Amino acid sequence: MKKQSTTTIIRNLCWSAIFVILLLLVTHVIPRALGQRDRQAIRKRPSQVEEPSRLGGAAWTITGSLNTARFLHTATMLPSGVVMVAGGLDNTFNATESTELYDPASGNWTATGNLNTARYEHTATLLPDGKVLVAGGSDSSGNASTSAELYDPVSGTWTVTGSLNTERTEHTATLLPNGMVLVAAGTDITFTASATAELYDPASGTWTATGDLNTARNLHTATLLPNGTVLVAAGADTSQSASESAELYDPTGGTWTVTGDLNTARYGHAATLLPNGMVLVAGGFDDNGAASATAELYDSATGTWTATGNLSTGRSGHSVSLLSNGTTLAEGGFDTNGFALASAELYDPASGAWTVTGSLNSARARHTATLLSDGTVLAAGGLDFPTINASAELYNASTPTPSPTPTVTPTATPSPTATPTPTATPRVTPRPRPTPHPRPTPPH
């Protein structure tokens, strides 16, 4: 009996230790790793990841793994067709300065020069001269940063450039037709949504303040429209409530003008400029903290939003890619319970409907998706708690997937056809609603 009692005590102590470790992860490590935002717990999916499918001939194929597992990183396709991945949080939930290159010809990743500052939730913008501007983000202490640097693909090195006027993370960066880069809103050093905006001049390497947004926000999207203005949509406001507001930036006057409100308040959504000039916004968390399946279209001619077909699965922290056939691919992200998703689906602008397509081999959220020169999509890294993915895979829509007849509100009349412009992939993790928490003080 004594032996049994001792064994029971030891077993209970082991379980208690495991519980304490898990509690520390949830309350300290994970919140710091995910940008110090108040949020729901991100949990490992309890069941097995669904097997990849080949719907309509479309499938995900595993390719070479990253050298460093990461999420909350950026991915930029260079003029050579090589994809550069920079920064993010590694498998110890620490900010990394590592950078690597994916060669589509070999399917391999090769390390390149390290960033000068480890960071995550930053932005990366391909400049007209072929260099990449990385700006802001959260540093290794979880604080919003003002630092910026340039990657030269010829030398494979990073050089520090002018600092932002305002520390920011969870912001957006948009390359304007005049070659300047507009950085807008985000979270500042006080962990508050910002209304400030500024412009980077590649010629001088300096930042200049421009007009403030009408609504402070973070975890929003920014899309360059065919007329040269920038549409900023939704996000979380200063009270950390989901916003339905949208506004337009005019580079000529440096001013922001309010435009039509979205039908659904959301943050952590994704936005895509369609070939017909409309902007498709899909998913994100609503003001109840639920992953939304709603989608809507912005018509710049009327300044209004019209509901379109719902996603098959509510998701946030997902990635979207405009494919060469005009459809939009959405994959991964978090569901309402904070589980990473492996599912993927396609939006057909002709029918206004979403159709399920082949699933990812690995569930992932806060990853990156990059459209390659051959029309395939590279998904890399991402979080499937407690796993930080080093894996990468390619989506190949070999044959068109038929779309069902939608039973939703008709889409708005399309605007004249325009050349699509890539937009940054928004990144988000769930948070509880309705009462927001203050962010914890980062460890020193």
Side-chain angles (χ1 to χ4, degrees):
M1 292 296 293
K2 185 176 180 180
K3 183 177 181 180
Q4 282 185 330
S5 178
T6 301
T7 303
T8 301
I9 291 171
I10 293 173
R11 183 166 56 246
N12 289 339
L13 286 173
C14 290
W15 279 113
S16 297
I18 293 171
F19 175 77
V20 170
I21 292 170
L22 289 174
L23 183 62
L24 286 172
L25 280 171
V26 171
T27 59
H28 292 82
V29 178
I30 302 307
R32 180 175 69 82
L34 298 182
Q36 303 291 352
R37 292 186 54 78
D38 40 332
R39 53 176 56 81
Q40 297 167 335
I42 305 301
R43 295 174 288 172
K44 179 74 174 179
R45 179 183 300 276
S47 58
Q48 294 293 321
V49 174
E50 56 200 286
E51 293 184 3
S53 59
R54 294 177 174 272
L55 300 180
W60 292 89
T61 305
I62 295 172
T63 187
S65 292
L66 292 148
N67 294 287
T68 300
R70 66 184 83 213
F71 71 110
L72 295 171
H73 53 286
T74 55
T76 310
M77 190 169 79
L78 304 177
S80 63
V82 170
V83 177
M84 181 191 68
V85 158
L89 287 168
D90 63 20
N91 57 9
T92 64
F93 290 92
N94 287 312
T96 180
E97 70 278 7
S98 73
T99 304
E100 46 191 304
L101 302 170
Y102 177 78
D103 181 1
S106 65
N108 295 324
W109 296 87
T110 306
T112 185
N114 284 346
L115 291 152
N116 292 280
T117 302
R119 65 184 82 219
Y120 60 99
E121 292 187 317
H122 51 286
T123 54
T125 309
L126 180 65
L127 302 179
D129 63 0
K131 294 182 179 180
V132 178
L133 170 70
V134 156
S138 298
D139 62 20
S140 55
S141 297
N143 293 317
S145 175
T146 59
S147 72
E149 45 192 304
L150 294 168
Y151 178 75
D152 182 355
V154 176
S155 64
T157 58
W158 293 89
T159 305
V160 174
T161 188
S163 293
L164 292 150
N165 294 288
T166 301
E167 305 94 342
R168 63 184 81 231
T169 186
E170 302 174 334
H171 53 289
T172 53
T174 309
L175 179 66
L176 303 178
N178 60 9
M180 307 277 276
V181 178
L182 170 70
V183 159
T187 304
D188 64 21
I189 195 67
T190 66
F191 306 115
T192 304
S194 173
T196 65
E198 45 193 303
L199 296 167
Y200 178 77
D201 182 358
S204 63
T206 58
W207 296 87
T208 305
T210 188
D212 286 354
L213 291 90
N214 293 280
T215 301
R217 64 186 83 221
N218 55 21
L219 298 170
H220 53 288
T221 54
T223 309
L224 179 66
L225 302 180
N227 62 7
T229 62
V230 178
L231 171 70
V232 160
D237 61 22
T238 51
S239 68
Q240 290 301 284
S241 296
S243 173
E244 71 277 9
S245 73
E247 45 193 304
L248 297 167
Y249 177 77
D250 180 4
T252 304
T255 56
W256 295 88
T257 305
V258 173
T259 189
D261 285 350
L262 289 90
N263 295 285
T264 301
R266 65 185 81 221
Y267 64 96
H269 50 288
T272 309
L273 179 65
L274 302 180
N276 60 13
M278 308 281 276
V279 177
L280 170 68
V281 158
F285 285 106
D286 63 23
D287 205 38
N288 294 315
S292 177
T294 64
E296 44 193 304
L297 296 166
Y298 178 77
D299 184 351
S300 58
T302 61
T304 57
W305 296 86
T306 305
T308 187
N310 284 350
L311 290 152
S312 301
T313 301
R315 62 185 80 227
S316 184
H318 54 295
S319 291
V320 295
S321 304
L322 179 65
L323 304 182
S324 54
N325 62 6
T327 61
T328 298
L329 171 70
E331 88 282 342
F334 295 115
D335 67 13
T336 295
N337 297 313
F339 296 128
L341 295 164
S343 63
E345 47 193 302
L346 294 167
Y347 177 77
D348 180 1
S351 65
W354 294 86
T355 301
V356 173
T357 187
S359 293
L360 292 150
N361 292 280
S362 298
R364 60 186 84 226
R366 304 299 292 264
H367 56 291
T368 54
T370 310
L371 180 66
L372 304 181
S373 303
D374 63 0
T376 60
V377 175
L378 170 70
L383 174 67
D384 182 18
F385 183 75
T387 301
I388 311 301
N389 282 315
S391 67
E393 47 191 303
L394 297 167
Y395 177 80
N396 181 19
S398 57
T399 59
T401 303
S403 299
T405 302
T407 57
V408 295
T409 305
T411 58
T413 302
S415 301
T417 301
T419 302
T421 303
T423 57
T425 301
R427 302 170 171 84
V428 66
T429 46
R431 59 184 172 83
R433 294 293 304 146
T435 304
H437 307 300
R439 300 187 190 211
T441 302
H444 299 288

